[in-house]
Amino acid sequence: GTLRVAGEGLHGDGEWRCVFAGSPAQPATMTAGGELECAIPPHGEGTVSLHVVSPVGYTSNHVAFAYRAPPEPVAIEPSSGPRTGGTLVHVTLAPAPADESAAAHHLARWACLFGESDADVTRVDASAVHTTQALDDGAVSAVVAISCEAPAVPAATRVAVRVASDGAHFSRAPLAFDYHEPPTVAWAWPALGSAVGGARNVTLHGTGFAYVA
C-alpha cells in the first residue's frame, strides 16, 4: 500500500524520504496537493515511529504508524443482487479491541473487492463506515461494518467479496455474493383497472421474482 503524509514545510525539489522505524527509508514523491506519497514497507503487527527527511537532510517530528492484520469479514448483507449492479452491500468485520479509535476506522482507505480482478474494486468513503461497541465475555469490543456498492457483471454468477482497510491488502477469507438476473415483468393480470384505484390485486408474471424481497 501507499501512504500520504501532510504537514508544514513539505516543499522543495529533490528526493524526500519516509522513514518507518526498523525499515529502510522509502522514496517519496510530492503530490499536486503538497503532500508526500510513499510506499509502506512490510512489517509485523504493531506501532512504529514514522518521520520524513527532506532533500537537504532535515528530519521532521515523529508520528505513530500502526500496522494491523488485514480485516476479517464475518457477515455480508444482502448476500445477493442483480448482475446490473447497484446493490448496497454491508460487510461486518470480526470484533476488534475497543481501544482502537473509531476515528482510525473512518480515516482508513476502506475498499471492497468483488471477484478477483483489480478492475472490480469499489471504494468506500468514510460516510459508509459504521462503528459500534459490543460486550463480549465482559470485555468491550468495537464492531465495524462497511457499506459498498456492488459493481455490474456480465452474467449471473457467484463471486468472492473481500475488504481492505488500506485500499490494497484485502482480507484472506472471502465471503460469497451471488449475482442473479434482474426481475423481468412479462405481463400483468388484470391489465386495466379503475382510475381511482382500489383493493383489486394485480398479478405479475415474469422471471427473477425469487430474489425480490
Side-chain angles (χ1 to χ4, degrees):
T2 59
L3 172 75
R4 284 199 174 188
V5 179
E8 297 180 358
L10 301 179
H11 53 75
D13 297 328
E15 183 179 285
W16 287 81
R17 290 171 292 158
C18 296
V19 181
F20 297 77
S23 301
Q26 303 294 312
T29 56
M30 186 72 67
T31 68
E35 299 174 338
L36 295 177
E37 186 172 84
C38 57
I40 302 172
H43 194 281
E45 289 184 58
T47 301
V48 300
S49 175
L50 166 67
H51 67 276
V52 297
V53 179
S54 74
V56 295
Y58 291 125
T59 301
S60 73
N61 60 309
H62 293 239
V63 296
F65 180 84
Y67 282 93
R68 295 192 178 97
E72 181 186 349
V74 295
I76 184 171
E77 178 64 32
S79 59
S80 65
R83 66 170 180 80
T84 50
T87 301
L88 189 62
V89 177
H90 308 285
V91 180
T92 302
L93 308 182
D99 56 3
E100 295 184 7
S101 69
H105 293 300
H106 283 265
L107 291 174
R109 296 173 58 200
W110 288 103
C112 294
L113 180 66
F114 288 76
E116 306 298 336
S117 170
D118 289 344
D120 291 335
V121 174
T122 56
R123 303 208 172 274
V124 182
D125 61 25
S127 65
V129 179
H130 313 280
T131 306
T132 57
Q133 290 190 338
L135 189 63
D136 184 16
D137 292 334
V140 179
S141 60
V143 178
V144 178
I146 65 172
S147 303
C148 45
E149 188 174 292
V153 295
T157 185
R158 170 171 288 188
V159 300
V161 178
R162 296 176 173 86
V163 297
S165 59
D166 63 356
H169 297 90
F170 289 89
S171 50
R172 302 182 185 94
L175 300 173
F177 184 82
D178 291 314
Y179 281 102
H180 56 74
E181 294 295 335
T184 301
V185 176
W187 55 282
W189 180 261
L192 55 85
S194 170
V196 297
R200 189 176 185 183
N201 293 330
V202 177
T203 301
L204 302 179
H205 298 262
T207 59
F209 296 155
Y211 296 96
V212 179

